Amino acid sequence: MVENNQAKKRQIIISQRSNLEAVIEQGLREGEIVILHPTEQIQEGKQVAPR
């Protein structure tokens, strides 16, 4: 996820998943920004910007 323009790791629980969507049961709140496809270059605390 992204917090204060920095990458942050967060443990989540997914209850259902398809090719296009997932239901997050725990670990995220509505409106939080998620990094969908992180690469090895994105590490905890690294500055990130939404595209």
Side-chain angles (χ1 to χ4, degrees):
M1 68 157 303
V2 178
E3 185 176 289
N4 298 322
N5 295 325
Q6 294 183 341
K8 300 286 182 179
K9 283 188 177 183
R10 181 159 318 155
Q11 192 75 20
I12 62 168
I13 296 173
I14 299 172
S15 67
Q16 297 176 14
R17 185 179 194 158
S18 73
N19 290 340
L20 300 175
E21 298 178 318
V23 176
I24 307 299
E25 287 292 322
Q26 203 170 30
L28 289 174
R29 291 185 302 263
E30 186 175 339
E32 290 184 312
I33 300 170
V34 177
I35 301 171
L36 295 178
H37 302 286
T39 66
E40 293 177 6
Q41 295 174 322
I42 298 180
Q43 298 175 357
E44 180 87 15
K46 183 170 177 122
Q47 288 288 118
V48 294
R51 290 198 227 179

